[in-house]
Amino acid sequence: VTLAQNGPVTLWARDAAHVAEMQSSRRNDRRLPMTVLPENVSVTAEIEAATQAPVLLLAMPMQQMGGFLTAHAARLAGKTLVACSKGIDLTTGRGPTELIAAACPDARAAILTGPSFAADIARGLPTALTLACAEDCEALQTQLSTPTLRLYRSTDPLGAELGGALKNVIAIAAGVVIGAGLGDSARAALMTRGFAEMSRLALRLGARAETLAGLSGFGDLVLTCTSAQSRNFRFGQALGAGEDFDPTTTVEGVATAKAVSVLAQRRGVEMPIATMVAALSEHRITVSDAAQALLSRPLKEE
Ligand SMILES: NC(=O)C1=CN([C@@H]2O[C@H](COP(=O)(O)OP(=O)(O)OC[C@H]3O[C@@H](n4cnc5c(N)ncnc54)[C@H](O)[C@@H]3O)[C@@H](O)[C@H]2O)C=CC1
Ligand SMILES: O=C(CO)COP(=O)(O)O
């Protein structure tokens, strides 16, 4: 919706009936019901039509991306593929740009990530994001920026994708704290210690500290841990309050917590909060036992 200010945009979806509905109503009632699709957004169920453009934005749940890339690899060769997903693939332990590089080695992989709710962007509210690509991406930065969507470029896609993936795990923990009535002070402590463990793992994997401190890391951590618009935060809140949560909602932090626990163990990195989120999401531990376990860790230097 925002990119349509810069020129024609093609929106591809798999479900032909849903596409027909969007073409006639000019809205996506399932995902963004309040937003009218601009005239120069054309909606199609034909992947051929959607892959004509040189730049493609991939916005799908993280665990679906590997299958999509493999299925369409031939069409995607030579394209610039901009991942908009946040997470770590459970099967391979890879982030979005690493998945793209493995499945489509002839494509240019980039990631667009940072504090941004889709509904805010669609409403034209001011938003700032990180666009990260191993190569120079100044032209792409200009192409994807709009008067209300301000992109900062980075050459550290690993750091950007790890920040975006890991903040969801900490947001679930923050939601648990609020849902269980443990208070705002506990949430602030968890966000800070969460940021410490996000940075610990990311740096060990080769990311840059300044990327973690930027929009894709710290920025998105703040948004997701403090806003009820966040599905990860709301999922945590329900977990903390012992309430059910709609299982069809995309909550990226659940699979990411699982993937991160494995990754952290393999690399010998301590990630107590992420490990606790993985256990809580799978109901292997109660909220009070999780809180107790975190509070009774050995005292140490900050
Ligand atoms: N909604 C938001 O505000 C933001 C979402 N993201 C990220 O974007 C990614 C997608 O999230 P949402 O769009 O919000 O989720 P969603 O659940 O609202 O929508 C996902 C869409 O992907 C489609 N899809 C599922 N599997 C697919 C496949 N194999 N091929 C093509 N399409 C497929 C679904 O049909 C659905 O339309 C996530 O990684 C999320 O973290 C990032 C920033 C903001
Ligand atoms: O990534 C997001 C905001 O930057 C969206 O957060 P949720 O997936 O938790 O809704």
Side-chain angles (χ1 to χ4, degrees):
V1 170
T2 194
L3 289 178
Q5 294 175 77
N6 294 352
V9 173
T10 305
L11 174 65
W12 172 75
R14 295 164 301 168
D15 180 348
H18 190 208
V19 166
E21 192 184 305
M22 288 191 275
Q23 283 168 341
S24 66
S25 70
R26 301 303 298 165
R27 283 201 315 268
N28 181 349
D29 284 322
R30 293 187 202 168
R31 307 282 169 183
L32 274 183
M34 308 306 285
T35 304
V36 174
L37 297 175
E39 260 173 34
N40 58 351
V41 172
S42 43
V43 192
T44 181
E46 305 299 328
I47 188 83
E48 300 78 15
T51 47
Q52 296 302 313
V55 178
L56 309 176
L57 276 73
L58 308 182
M60 62 194 64
M62 186 61 205
Q63 303 310 318
Q64 305 293 326
M65 191 179 279
F68 171 86
L69 291 168
T70 309
H72 302 291
R75 269 180 217 296
L76 303 175
K79 304 285 179 188
T80 293
L81 303 179
V82 184
C84 302
S85 309
K86 297 175 182 173
I88 296 176
D89 178 55
L90 263 177
T91 319
T92 60
R94 290 180 172 132
T97 60
E98 292 174 313
L99 268 191
I100 292 171
C104 308
D106 296 332
R108 178 165 68 139
I111 180 152
L112 185 58
T113 183
S116 56
F117 291 120
D120 291 352
I121 297 178
R123 284 173 63 201
L125 301 179
T127 315
L129 297 177
T130 301
L131 174 70
C133 182
E135 307 140 37
D136 173 61
C137 61
E138 202 170 336
L140 187 63
Q141 176 188 28
T142 306
Q143 204 179 347
L144 300 180
S145 294
T146 70
T148 51
L149 187 72
R150 181 175 169 78
L151 305 194
Y152 288 79
R153 66 180 181 277
S154 158
T155 49
D156 181 17
L158 178 68
E161 68 187 18
L162 282 170
L166 295 168
K167 64 85 190 176
N168 280 333
V169 179
I170 308 303
I172 294 178
V176 170
V177 163
I178 298 304
L182 301 179
D184 288 339
S185 304
R187 167 166 53 184
L190 215 133
M191 286 169 66
T192 312
R193 296 311 305 165
F195 183 67
E197 73 178 53
M198 284 167 63
S199 304
R200 200 152 54 225
L201 180 68
L203 266 53
R204 176 65 64 87
L205 295 176
R208 293 182 213 142
E210 62 267 29
T211 312
L212 270 291
L215 291 162
S216 55
F218 178 74
D220 214 352
L221 177 74
V222 171
L223 178 73
T224 320
C225 289
T226 58
S227 171
Q229 269 194 79
S230 159
R231 295 161 295 189
N232 286 280
F233 178 78
R234 287 203 311 273
F235 169 78
Q237 241 182 333
L239 209 56
E243 292 165 2
D244 291 336
F245 194 80
D246 176 4
T248 64
T249 303
T250 300
V251 182
E252 294 285 28
V254 173
T256 302
K258 212 171 170 177
V260 159
S261 305
V262 176
L263 208 58
Q265 206 171 11
R266 209 176 284 156
R267 296 289 184 139
V269 178
E270 260 197 313
M271 300 205 60
I273 302 172
T275 307
M276 227 40 95
V277 169
L280 275 170
S281 307
E282 291 166 9
H283 302 288
R284 285 189 274 115
I285 191 170
T286 64
V287 171
S288 65
D289 284 349
Q292 199 47 47
L294 288 175
L295 285 168
S296 59
R297 282 166 50 77
L299 297 174
K300 53 189 221 177
E301 250 183 72
E302 188 171 25

